[in-house]
Amino acid sequence: MTGLFDSVRFRGVDLRNRIGISPMCQYSAEDGFTSRWHPIHLGSRAVGGAGMVMVEASAVVPEGRISPQDLGIWKDEHIDGLRELADVIRANGSVPAIQIAHAGRKASTHRPWDGGKPMKADEEGFWPVVGPSPIAFSDAHQIPHELSVDEIQATVEAFGAAACRAREAGFDIVEIHGAHGYLISSFLSPTSNQRTDQYGGSFDNRSRLLMDTFAAVRAEWPDDKPIFVRISCSEWVDGGWTIEDSVALANQLKDAGVDLIDCSSGGNNLYQQVPTTPGYQVPFADAVRNQAGIPAAAVGLITEPEHADEVVAQGQADLVLIGRESLRSPYWPLTAARALGEVDRLHIPDQYLRAW
């Protein structure tokens, strides 16, 4: 029986265990460049024992940032700072991963501790937002500019160029962000995509942006390194994206060569009703993994070691990604190893051995 501390391989990349650190925005960059905060934040999670540490959503174009303080990967000058992050993660035993993203109609906002609200046109740092259709996320958000087909193709090319920079920076895994109401997610859902061209209407048309994006990323990414895709498996609203849609999409992505589906949910509709109980998204990973036959990651309020181990042991997911719990406890994998009696299977830094 597979457990949380068993290793796992994706293409030519080996993870020492089934614990990953989710990509979590730190809102601590300037013009997309890393700051002193990032290597300390990410390096501590690698020291903490995770098999994979994923760098936060990094914007493929400037207008693809959520806030002006988001990380970027839209220009070659970003590579050196990102390379430092990959090196720090790898040097401390974890596999370095990075999520590449475009925030779409949810872009141009203040960072959370500055209120998190959409920026106004007269505020410094404001920029216009884009989307599949001129439908705002909320009354407070901008009405997005509807992307033309040429603009969509330019965005796809930007994702491909970002993958090239991620490769040059030394990352071993790249994840395409297709969740939480950001650009790709908003194309997938019929509640936000009302186009009538080849990128709207039918399921295949609404998924076309993601499929095109994956093809562009795969063309720039080494064959021996995996590509993950994060999706919102349910929109949690009537008439929205469903888990059945996600399984169908997972089948398409599997056939295209995607290596793992990162199964989150929500974020595309203001009226979502999300039952946030421990492990509430695990059934999504279970459905994707076992109905579509593709590796899946479980995320969302998984905080107890025994629960995380059970998710893997029962075959509900191949990876468990820890998010906010890792902000509270950077060394959660070490704590989990002790709780599960697996300390001998996880390298504890010599500097910390006296505590174990």
Side-chain angles (χ1 to χ4, degrees):
M1 183 172 62
T2 303
L4 190 64
F5 287 95
D6 286 318
S7 62
V8 62
R9 166 169 281 216
F10 298 99
R11 295 192 182 233
V13 176
D14 293 309
L15 278 61
R16 58 184 170 180
N17 55 52
R18 307 300 182 102
I19 303 168
I21 302 300
S22 285
M24 292 175 286
C25 291
Q26 298 298 295
Y27 306 102
S28 300
E30 183 175 344
D31 190 30
F33 287 94
T34 61
S35 68
R36 292 182 177 180
W37 173 260
H38 295 97
I40 294 171
H41 163 68
L42 295 165
S44 64
R45 273 81 197 161
V47 170
M52 177 192 73
V53 174
M54 188 173 291
V55 174
E56 66 194 79
S58 300
V60 301
V61 291
E63 61 271 24
R65 292 171 293 173
I66 303 167
S67 80
Q69 293 79 28
D70 283 23
L71 272 187
I73 193 167
W74 68 79
K75 57 185 175 181
D76 291 348
E77 289 80 4
H78 289 143
I79 293 173
D80 285 347
L82 294 171
R83 182 181 292 115
E84 179 188 13
L85 302 187
D87 288 348
V88 164
I89 293 168
R90 183 179 290 107
N92 288 287
S94 293
V95 169
I98 187 168
Q99 185 184 72
I100 55 177
H102 190 305
R105 64 181 186 155
K106 294 176 74 175
S108 194
T109 69
H110 293 282
R111 58 186 173 184
W113 56 88
D114 292 330
K117 295 180 179 179
M119 302 182 77
K120 302 298 184 183
D122 59 353
E123 290 185 290
E124 183 179 357
F126 168 91
W127 65 87
V129 303
V130 301
S133 302
I135 302 171
F137 177 69
S138 75
D139 290 342
H141 284 74
Q142 298 177 52
I143 296 175
H145 161 70
E146 181 177 307
L147 289 169
S148 68
V149 171
D150 286 345
E151 289 169 330
I152 290 171
Q153 291 305 312
T155 302
V156 170
E157 292 170 6
F159 271 95
C164 179
R165 295 186 186 103
R167 182 190 71 218
E168 293 300 311
F171 288 95
D172 289 330
I173 299 171
V174 67
E175 177 173 272
I176 299 168
H177 198 343
H180 302 159
Y182 299 126
L183 186 66
I184 292 173
S185 175
S186 67
F187 267 81
L188 290 171
S189 171
T191 69
S192 47
N193 182 350
Q194 296 184 2
R195 302 174 71 96
T196 57
D197 62 6
Q198 65 265 45
Y199 288 95
S202 69
F203 176 90
D204 287 344
N205 283 357
R206 285 183 282 112
S207 63
R208 192 181 306 277
L209 173 59
L210 175 53
M211 302 308 295
D212 288 354
T213 298
F214 171 73
V217 170
R218 185 73 269 174
E220 296 291 348
W221 197 242
D223 288 342
D224 63 341
K225 291 187 177 183
I227 299 174
F228 295 175
V229 174
R230 172 167 275 194
I231 64 172
S232 284
C233 290
S234 172
E235 200 168 348
W236 299 110
V237 293
D238 290 339
W241 185 265
T242 67
I243 182 57
E244 291 77 17
D245 293 324
S246 293
V247 171
L249 179 63
N251 273 300
Q252 288 188 349
L253 293 169
K254 177 185 68 175
D255 291 344
V258 169
D259 298 283
L260 175 140
I261 307 296
D262 181 354
C263 298
S264 189
S265 71
N268 190 56
N269 198 295
L270 193 65
Y271 301 102
Q272 63 186 18
Q273 297 293 317
V274 184
T276 50
T277 55
Y280 71 101
Q281 295 177 146
V282 171
F284 298 143
D286 190 356
V288 165
R289 182 181 191 271
N290 293 300
Q291 293 180 35
I294 185 172
V299 304
L301 294 182
I302 301 172
T303 62
E304 299 300 322
E306 295 80 6
H307 184 196
D309 189 53
E310 180 182 85
V311 167
V312 174
Q314 292 186 353
Q316 295 175 292
D318 300 271
L319 294 180
V320 173
L321 302 189
I322 306 298
R324 295 184 186 186
E325 186 64 17
S326 79
L327 299 182
R328 294 183 283 264
S329 179
Y331 308 114
W332 187 90
L334 296 179
T335 301
R338 181 165 58 183
L340 297 172
E342 299 280 11
V343 171
D344 292 342
R345 300 183 64 194
L346 183 61
H347 173 70
I348 299 170
D350 293 339
Q351 296 91 332
Y352 292 174
L353 275 173
R354 74 192 75 177
W356 295 86

